Amino acid sequence: KKKKKKDNSTVISYGLIALSVLFIFFMFLIFTGNDNSVFKVEDRTEEVKESLKNDTDDFKTIGWVKVQGTNIDYPVLKFASTQYEMPVNDVSYAWTVNDGSKLDKRIDIAGHNILNLSRNPVKQDDMFYYFEELLNFVYIDFAKENQFIQFHLNGEEYVYQIFSVNFLKPFDVNYYATDGMGENEIKEYLETLKKGNLYDHDIEVNEDDQFITLYTCTRFFDTSIRSNFVVTARLLRDGEKPKLAEITKTEKYDE
């Protein structure tokens, strides 16, 4: 009887140890966070290599952009001139004026919006080739669930978190700013974005951060009113993991 009791105690002890290990493991997952559950970073090195094969004297592939929740997952090209014509038939792409040799203070990336110009943008369509699905961010439910932009440059993947969604006139901001922006210019840029922001994002942003701005044309308000739809994000800081921010509507959203 004593031996049986001892054996039972041993089984119970091992069982408790096993449960403790499992508990610690699950708590580890909860508190460290599973980055893939928020935003999955995918290496785009091979895709960039394939795009480089199509380069000509008129345009060069400098990187790759991916926007969470959309079909925007395209090469980023730099053109030799301002004529942004289709480089290869049936190829989706975006373009920039950044030189691509380094990560600038601001990366500015544009894309066409040819098929999604109404005041009730379609969230998804197999016909969309360019930045049509950038307009998904007019819907707050979408904005809450999708907050990250991935940019591939020089073999590295950089993750940015969206903090501003705006309708802006073409000259409200300098869309072609580069690393030479001074502190006052950056403050003015951030203030302009804040004034027109459709949402309040619970994200700290200041002039020391690095930014990526995606923009496309829209006729959201009227066919005669030209404006740009602009989504801006800041680079995740050293040691910062992807974490969904709280988002609420602003007065600008209601307007």
Side-chain angles (χ1 to χ4, degrees):
K1 288 182 179 179
K2 288 181 180 180
K3 185 178 184 303
K4 187 176 182 180
K5 186 176 181 180
K6 184 178 180 181
D7 291 342
N8 288 340
S9 298
T10 302
V11 171
I12 292 172
S13 297
Y14 281 127
L16 289 173
I17 291 171
L19 287 173
S20 298
V21 171
L22 286 173
F23 176 79
I24 292 170
F25 175 73
F26 284 119
M27 292 303 290
F28 174 81
L29 290 180
I30 291 171
F31 285 107
T32 58
N34 182 350
D35 291 354
N36 287 342
S37 67
V38 177
F39 179 71
K40 183 179 181 181
V41 178
E42 299 176 332
D43 189 345
R44 288 292 179 260
T45 303
E46 293 305 316
E47 286 82 353
V48 170
K49 288 180 180 178
E50 284 300 311
S51 183
L52 286 168
K53 295 177 182 178
N54 296 319
D55 283 2
T56 69
D57 291 338
D58 296 321
F59 61 89
K60 305 292 182 183
T61 301
I62 70 161
W64 197 277
V65 64
K66 171 188 170 187
V67 180
Q68 186 180 22
T70 75
N71 68 342
I72 299 172
D73 196 358
Y74 307 149
V76 178
L77 310 180
K78 182 179 180 182
F79 288 79
S81 70
T82 57
Q83 300 301 312
Y84 306 126
E85 300 297 331
M86 174 81 76
V88 182
N89 289 337
D90 299 326
V91 171
S92 302
Y93 67 95
W95 69 87
T96 185
V97 297
N98 298 85
D99 63 18
S101 62
K102 58 184 175 62
L103 193 69
D104 285 338
K105 180 74 173 180
R106 263 182 61 187
I107 303 293
D108 298 284
I109 299 176
H112 292 302
N113 176 16
I114 300 172
L115 302 173
N116 207 20
L117 296 167
S118 80
R119 66 183 60 201
N120 296 300
V122 178
K123 285 188 179 180
Q124 189 174 12
D125 192 297
D126 290 340
M127 295 290 290
F128 293 162
Y129 269 100
Y130 303 109
F131 268 21
E132 283 94 348
E133 289 190 16
L134 194 65
L135 272 292
N136 290 5
F137 288 96
V138 300
Y139 303 109
I140 188 169
D141 290 343
F142 182 88
K144 287 180 177 180
E145 295 173 2
N146 302 281
Q147 300 185 18
F148 298 95
I149 297 170
Q150 178 183 331
F151 182 58
H152 175 104
L153 182 70
N154 296 329
E156 298 290 337
E157 307 295 341
Y158 298 94
V159 178
Y160 296 74
Q161 185 159 15
I162 295 167
F163 68 90
S164 176
V165 177
N166 281 266
F167 287 99
L168 296 173
K169 293 178 182 177
F171 301 105
D172 281 348
V173 297
N174 177 9
Y175 293 110
Y176 300 109
T178 59
D179 203 32
M181 292 180 71
E183 184 176 327
N184 289 334
E185 290 177 289
I186 298 171
K187 286 182 177 179
E188 183 179 345
Y189 159 74
L190 294 176
E191 189 61 31
T192 299
L193 295 179
K194 183 178 179 180
K195 287 179 180 178
N197 203 348
L198 302 185
Y199 311 114
D200 277 328
H201 298 75
D202 184 23
I203 304 170
E204 183 186 1
V205 179
N206 60 53
E207 59 271 18
D208 294 324
D209 288 313
Q210 291 176 271
F211 308 98
I212 192 167
T213 297
L214 307 185
Y215 59 97
T216 191
C217 60
T218 179
R219 301 292 186 270
F220 186 87
F221 299 104
D222 190 279
T223 55
S224 63
I225 300 175
R226 184 187 171 196
S227 59
N228 288 327
F229 188 70
V230 183
V231 176
T232 310
R234 73 153 173 81
L235 185 67
L236 292 184
R237 297 166 180 173
D238 290 343
E240 185 180 9
K241 294 182 179 180
K243 179 182 177 183
L244 291 177
E246 293 291 329
I247 295 179
T248 55
K249 297 177 183 177
T250 66
E251 292 180 1
K252 201 69 178 178
Y253 182 96
D254 294 330
E255 181 185 326

